[in-house]
Amino acid sequence: MKQTNRAMSWQERYLERFYLRRPGWSIGPGQFHGICEEALPRGGRFLEIGAGPSNATSRFLASVGEVHGVDIGAEVLENDALASAAVLTGTGFPFPDAHFDGSVSNYVLEHVEHPRAHFAEVGRVLKPGAAYVFRTPNLYHYVALIARATPHAFHRLVANRLRALPAGSRDPYPTYYRCNSRRAIRRLARASGLEVGRLKMIEPEPAYGMSSRALFLLFMAYERLVNSTERLADLRANIFGVLRRAPAHQGRSRPSS
């Protein structure tokens, strides 16, 4: 009989031992997809910003509604979960006003060079009351602080290695971190006619500790610390956000005579 089972890698064993067995722990994109499902109307038309090539988030969104994608890279044209795809050449989105029932971006805001234009475009293409759901790194986490302080050449050298990604994986895009704190997001939302529904700080499993057991255990100790109290929430890795375009007025009051 052919043996199909393979030995688990140490990364899989550690994730199983320290995270998957923890009650209520959701690994990978599970938490983010759950927030998307809560905020987006089933059967709606959605815009995925930074959709990239075929991926788990695009496929998840396609199971909820009709997904249209934009990205600065041409690989978005190969994303088979999208009803349509467009390559961005500027800050504007190629869609009319109030066109979408929701918008999503997954690890995109850190790459946005012009955040005011980005949030203004999101607000423009959303229908009144529709949600913009995003996941992005927190500027005050150690990974983002190191990334901001080092050149892009350094990111290309070490980022994929630290995450133990296979050879040939796409190099990381340049990062700017110009809208990666709760304070900055609230300010940009107000300026774009978006209301803050939720800004949740998350410290997940140590994705950047996959290159060695020592790094994994060190970063896991950090995860345990910042998740132990809400007083350390601003030091957690990710911001999960839900913004909404302000609802349309139900009716204007008649002027007094």
Side-chain angles (χ1 to χ4, degrees), residues 7-8 12 15 47-48 62 113 122 124 164 168 209 243:
M8 293 176 67
E12 291 170 322
L15 287 172
L47 173 64
E48 185 180 6
E113 186 174 6
V122 170
R124 181 184 67 79
L243 309 179

Side-chain angles (χ1 to χ4, degrees), residues 108-116 118 174-179:
V108 169
L109 288 180
E110 65 273 22
H111 304 290
V112 172
E113 186 174 6
H114 305 289
R116 279 187 172 274
H118 173 86
T175 50
Y176 300 98
Y177 295 102
R178 292 176 178 170
C179 48

Side-chain angles (χ1 to χ4, degrees), residues 1 40 49 53-54 71-72 106 204 221 247 250:
M1 185 179 206
L40 302 175
I49 304 166
S54 298
D71 204 306
I72 62 172
N106 188 24
Q250 298 301 313

Side-chain angles (χ1 to χ4, degrees), residues 6 17 19 28 64 107 118 129 139 157 166 188 225 234 249:
R6 64 174 181 85
R17 176 181 176 184
Y19 289 97
V64 178
Y107 289 131
H118 173 86
L139 174 61
L157 180 65
L188 290 161
L225 175 64
D234 282 329
H249 294 299

